[in-house]
Amino acid sequence: MKNITKTLLVTGLSVGLLVGATGASGQSFDNAHAATAHQTPYYTYNGQFNIPNNNALDDNNFYRGLKADHFIFNGLKVGEVTKADVFKNLGSGFKRYYGEKDLTFYEKNGIIVGFDHKGKLVNLTLRINHIKNSAKLIEKHVKKGEIYNTKTTQVAFYPGNTIVIKAK
């Protein structure tokens, strides 16, 4: 009787371990697969940009978000929002910077926004001249003269001066 009990106990433990190990390895595989699945990079920036201690220019995700056409600045996406959205999110106090044929530009706190004749945000220029080592930081992440040509925007980098995001 003792031998039958021991045999059943050992068999039960073996089956339990086998089922548990199979479940664990299946779960491990799913997690590994999820980790390698392609994820679209996003980058959201809130606050003033052109300040000395801004670390965005040293963040790989900043460049990845710009390159993937998923960059949001204070709740605004170039080519998708209106003048009313910009003034609501960034506040009043913008001064007319200059105008062109069908574009009007406004400036405030190191940000230049450009609107088309329909009032759509088509240009966002971020000044970076007050950010410590801005030229070196950009050159560390972007090849000289490189422009990110995305689905809806073009992003041009002018180290030490500005980053221009323009709607197509």
Side-chain angles (χ1 to χ4, degrees), residues 74-95:
N74 288 311
L76 307 168
K77 177 138 176 46
V78 175
E80 294 183 7
V81 298
T82 66
K83 188 175 185 178
D85 296 325
V86 171
F87 292 157
K88 178 183 171 193
N89 289 15
L90 298 179
S92 60
F94 276 86
K95 294 187 178 10

Side-chain angles (χ1 to χ4, degrees), residues 6-40:
K6 284 182 183 178
T7 304
L8 288 174
L9 182 62
V10 171
T11 305
L13 288 173
S14 298
V15 170
L17 288 173
L18 182 61
V19 169
T22 304
S25 68
Q27 183 179 10
S28 174
F29 175 74
D30 290 344
N31 288 341
H33 181 65
T36 59
H38 176 69
Q39 295 181 1
T40 305

Side-chain angles (χ1 to χ4, degrees), residues 36-95:
T36 59
H38 176 69
Q39 295 181 1
T40 305
Y42 289 85
Y43 195 87
T44 299
Y45 187 90
N46 290 308
Q48 256 189 309
F49 200 83
N50 195 22
I51 53 177
N53 59 349
N54 184 346
N55 294 322
L57 296 181
D58 199 27
D59 186 348
N60 283 332
N61 293 319
F62 172 72
Y63 299 95
R64 290 179 68 227
L66 286 168
K67 197 172 205 172
D69 202 17
H70 292 290
F71 175 73
I72 306 295
F73 180 77
N74 288 311
L76 307 168
K77 177 138 176 46
V78 175
E80 294 183 7
V81 298
T82 66
K83 188 175 185 178
D85 296 325
V86 171
F87 292 157
K88 178 183 171 193
N89 289 15
L90 298 179
S92 60
F94 276 86
K95 294 187 178 10

Side-chain angles (χ1 to χ4, degrees), residues 38 63 78 97 104 113 137 145 165:
H38 176 69
Y63 299 95
V78 175
Y97 191 68
T104 306
V113 290
L137 292 171
I165 305 163

Side-chain angles (χ1 to χ4, degrees), residues 92-124:
S92 60
F94 276 86
K95 294 187 178 10
R96 185 180 165 110
Y97 191 68
Y98 68 94
E100 291 181 351
K101 185 178 178 182
D102 286 331
L103 300 173
T104 306
F105 293 86
Y106 296 87
E107 190 269 334
K108 174 184 170 183
N109 294 333
I111 302 164
I112 301 171
V113 290
F115 304 99
D116 65 11
H117 65 282
K118 295 179 184 176
K120 185 178 258 187
L121 177 66
V122 295
N123 187 299
L124 174 64

Side-chain angles (χ1 to χ4, degrees), residues 133-152:
N133 300 316
S134 64
K136 288 180 183 177
L137 292 171
I138 286 178
E139 290 167 355
K140 177 178 155 184
H141 296 277
V142 180
K143 295 175 189 163
K144 188 173 185 171
E146 183 175 9
I147 295 176
Y148 293 168
N149 196 14
T150 72
K151 191 176 207 178
T152 65

